[in-house]
């Protein structure tokens, strides 16, 4: 039955009897009623306490002591060696704490630990357009580390997402200024370096509280539809580079040899020049020495020069002795071959094959044969 029903007009919402509204009950009476219901739990009596009612002083102090102990123990926390803690006091940054055991007032301070030594990885990939209007799939892995925990937590809503967008922007900018051939072959390292530089410029203005450790540029590849053609083009470029290296190696091996030959020919030419000059000077000196003797005895000197010349000429030619007066058979004696037999074993072939008859000797032999034939014909006529 509700208090406002006709039969309950003598009661108010607070349980007061009578028709008058006396207001809410006294809090002391409420606690006294609760104490009566749960009497003896906290060491008090079921009736009113000696101080006029309510909880006993010992029970209240015990509750407060337990609460203080729990509150104090809950405030201890530990920051790891690789972490730094950001202290928030009622939601506002109050400072940072170093690694170790610390205490904070619970419900007042909140500590957020941030790992500043771990290397985080952020992949980035996508189809991009090159400077020569070719589509290529590029993959990159960015490694970064937190250096400012406060900026990392509160400068951006999601630092990793911001870094991902910055990486994509820097990568598309660099790829858009690079040809596909360089991107797939020799220019990959340059693309990686330029992307790292552009990425650092972008995140510097964001103040994300992190630093780029390394940028790994994974192998780029064309779309699958044209992959075979690009593989052939890459193979051709590799062959070109190989041929160029081989040519350079050949040039490096030939050039020193050619320079050596040039140097040797120069030395030989200089030696020949000096030899000819000295020989000419010797000839001039010999003729100067011979001139007075020739002027004193021209005939004797002329004969001596002739004999010396003949001796020099015949010393370097083969000698053959001929007998043209012994009948029809011509007998000859190769003196040079006989002298060789005393120095070395005789050859197996005929010695006549090695005999060289001078032209003057041959002509004299022919003249002798002609004279012998003329004498024989005259005798036959007689």
């Amino acid at each position: 039955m509700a208090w406002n029903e006709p039969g309950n007009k003598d009661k108010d919402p607070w349980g007061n009897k009578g028709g008058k509204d006396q207001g809410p009950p006294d809090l002391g009476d409420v606690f006294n009623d609760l104490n009566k219901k749960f009497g003896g739990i906290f060491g008090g009596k079921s009736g009113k306490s000696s101080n006029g009612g309510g909880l006993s002083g010992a029970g209240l102090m015990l509750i407060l002591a337990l609460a203080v102990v729990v509150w104090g123990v809950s405030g201890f926390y530990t920051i790891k060696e690789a972490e730094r803690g950001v202290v928030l006091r009622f939601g506002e940054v109050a400072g940072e704490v170093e690694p170790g055991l610390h205490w904070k007032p619970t419900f007042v301070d909140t500590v957020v630990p941030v790992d500043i030594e771990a290397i985080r990885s952020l992949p980035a990939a996508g189809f991009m357009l090159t400077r020569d209007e070719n589509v290529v799939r590029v993959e990159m892995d960015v490694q970064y580390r937190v250096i400012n925990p406060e900026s990392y937590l509160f400068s951006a809503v999601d630092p990793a997402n911001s870094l991902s967008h910055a990486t994509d922007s820097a990568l598309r900018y660099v790829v858009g200024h690079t040809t596909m051939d360089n991107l797939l072959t020799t220019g990959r390292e340059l693309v990686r370096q330029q992307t790292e530089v552009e990425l650092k410029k972008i995140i510097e203005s964001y103040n994300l509280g992190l630093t780029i450790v390394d940028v790994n540029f994974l192998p780029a590849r064309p779309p699958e539809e044209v992959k075979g053609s690009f593989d052939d083009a890459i193979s051709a470029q590799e062959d070109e580079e190989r041929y160029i290296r081989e040519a350079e190696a050949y040039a490096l091996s030939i050039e020193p040899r050619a320079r050596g030959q040039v140097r040797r020919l120069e030395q030989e030419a200089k030696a020949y020049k000096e030899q000819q000059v000295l020989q000419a000077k010797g000839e001039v000196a010999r003729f100067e020495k011979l001139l007075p003797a020739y002027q004193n005895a021209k005939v004797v000197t002329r004969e001596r020069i002739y004999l010396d010349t003949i001796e020099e000429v015949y010393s370097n030619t083969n000698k053959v002795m001929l007998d043209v007066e012994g009948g029809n058979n011509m007998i000859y004696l190769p003196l040079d071959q006989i002298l060789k037999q005393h120095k070395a074993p005789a050859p197996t072939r005929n010695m006549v094959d090695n005999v060289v008859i001078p032209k003057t000797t041959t002509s004299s032999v022919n003249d002798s044969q002609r004279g012998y034939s003329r004498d024989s014909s005259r005798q036959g006529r007689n």
Side-chain angles (χ1 to χ4, degrees):
M1 181 178 296
W3 69 272
N4 57 357
E5 291 182 358
N8 294 328
K9 292 182 178 180
D10 56 346
K11 294 182 179 181
D12 59 10
W14 312 109
N16 297 319
K17 296 180 179 181
K20 295 182 180 181
D21 187 5
Q22 298 179 1
D26 189 10
L27 292 178
D29 296 337
V30 174
F31 282 111
N32 191 18
D33 292 338
L34 291 175
N35 190 21
K36 289 179 180 180
K37 293 180 181 179
F38 303 97
I41 297 178
F42 301 107
K45 298 181 180 179
S46 60
K48 294 184 179 180
S49 60
S50 61
N51 56 3
L55 292 175
S56 65
L60 184 59
M61 292 300 295
L62 180 60
I63 293 174
L64 293 177
L66 291 174
V68 170
V69 170
V70 172
W71 179 79
V73 172
S74 64
F76 288 98
Y77 65 95
T78 303
I79 300 296
K80 297 180 181 180
E81 183 66 27
E83 296 177 343
R84 297 294 183 273
V86 179
V87 180
L88 303 179
R89 184 162 296 156
F90 297 112
E92 184 180 359
V93 177
E96 295 183 4
V97 291
E98 297 295 326
L101 181 63
H102 302 274
W103 182 85
K104 64 179 176 62
T106 306
F107 308 121
V108 177
D109 289 352
T110 302
V111 178
V112 181
V114 179
D115 194 338
I116 63 171
E117 293 186 4
I119 304 298
R120 297 173 172 85
S121 179
L122 179 67
F127 287 97
M128 302 180 185
L129 190 66
T130 61
R131 189 178 67 181
D132 51 357
E133 298 181 354
N134 287 314
V135 178
V136 61
R137 178 173 176 79
V138 180
E139 297 181 3
M140 180 167 286
D141 183 76
V142 179
Q143 296 180 353
Y144 65 96
R145 181 172 58 85
V146 178
I147 58 175
N148 191 334
E150 180 180 350
S151 299
Y152 179 75
L153 291 175
F154 304 108
S155 292
V157 176
D158 189 354
N161 189 29
S162 300
L163 180 61
S164 177
H165 289 298
T167 302
D168 187 73
S169 177
L171 186 58
R172 290 184 182 276
Y173 173 80
V174 175
V175 172
H177 289 78
T178 307
T179 61
M180 188 168 188
D181 291 339
N182 291 332
L183 189 63
L184 297 178
T185 55
T186 58
R188 297 179 65 253
E189 179 61 23
L190 181 60
V191 171
R192 188 196 70 80
Q193 295 176 359
Q194 292 178 351
T195 303
E196 184 176 359
V197 172
E198 291 296 328
L199 181 58
K200 289 181 178 180
K201 289 181 180 179
I202 294 174
I203 65 174
E204 184 179 358
S205 60
Y206 290 176
N207 192 24
L208 297 178
L210 50 84
T211 182
I212 303 300
V213 177
D214 193 12
V215 175
N216 297 322
F217 187 69
L218 303 179
R221 61 181 184 274
E224 294 296 334
E225 293 78 6
V226 294
K227 187 175 183 301
S229 299
F230 277 99
D231 290 341
D232 295 338
I234 293 174
S235 299
Q237 290 180 354
E238 292 176 352
D239 293 339
E240 179 184 3
E241 293 293 332
R242 179 170 57 84
Y243 291 145
I244 291 175
R245 298 293 181 270
E246 291 178 355
E248 291 177 352
Y250 178 75
L252 292 176
S253 63
I254 290 298
E255 184 177 358
R257 190 184 307 172
R259 293 182 182 276
Q261 292 179 354
V262 170
R263 187 66 176 175
R264 179 174 57 84
L265 292 176
E266 290 178 353
Q267 297 295 333
E268 291 179 353
K270 291 180 180 179
Y272 178 76
K273 175 183 177 181
E274 294 178 359
Q275 179 184 2
Q276 293 299 320
V277 170
L278 294 176
Q279 185 175 356
K281 291 181 178 180
E283 292 292 335
V284 170
R286 186 173 66 85
F287 279 108
E288 288 179 353
K289 296 291 184 180
L290 188 62
L291 181 59
Y294 178 77
Q295 292 176 350
N296 294 331
K298 294 183 179 181
V299 177
V300 175
T301 304
R302 189 184 299 113
E303 290 292 334
R304 183 174 179 181
I305 292 174
Y306 174 76
L307 293 176
D308 292 341
T309 304
I310 292 298
E311 181 180 359
E312 182 179 357
V313 171
Y314 278 99
S315 63
N316 297 322
T317 57
N318 298 327
K319 290 85 175 174
V320 179
M321 297 183 64
L322 301 177
D323 184 10
V324 297
E325 297 180 355
N328 294 330
N329 295 327
M330 183 177 63
I331 300 174
Y332 62 91
L333 184 62
L335 297 179
D336 54 344
Q337 296 296 332
I338 294 174
L339 294 176
K340 289 180 180 180
Q341 288 179 356
H342 292 285
K343 297 179 180 180
T348 56
R349 58 183 181 178
N350 192 358
M351 291 189 299
V352 180
D353 297 336
N354 296 328
V355 177
V356 179
I357 302 176
K359 185 179 293 185
T360 55
T361 309
T362 305
S363 61
S364 61
V365 170
N366 292 334
D367 293 338
S368 302
Q369 290 178 348
R370 293 192 191 99
Y372 180 80
S373 301
R374 286 195 295 268
D375 293 339
S376 299
S377 60
R378 289 176 182 174
Q379 291 176 2
R381 292 175 183 175
N382 295 331

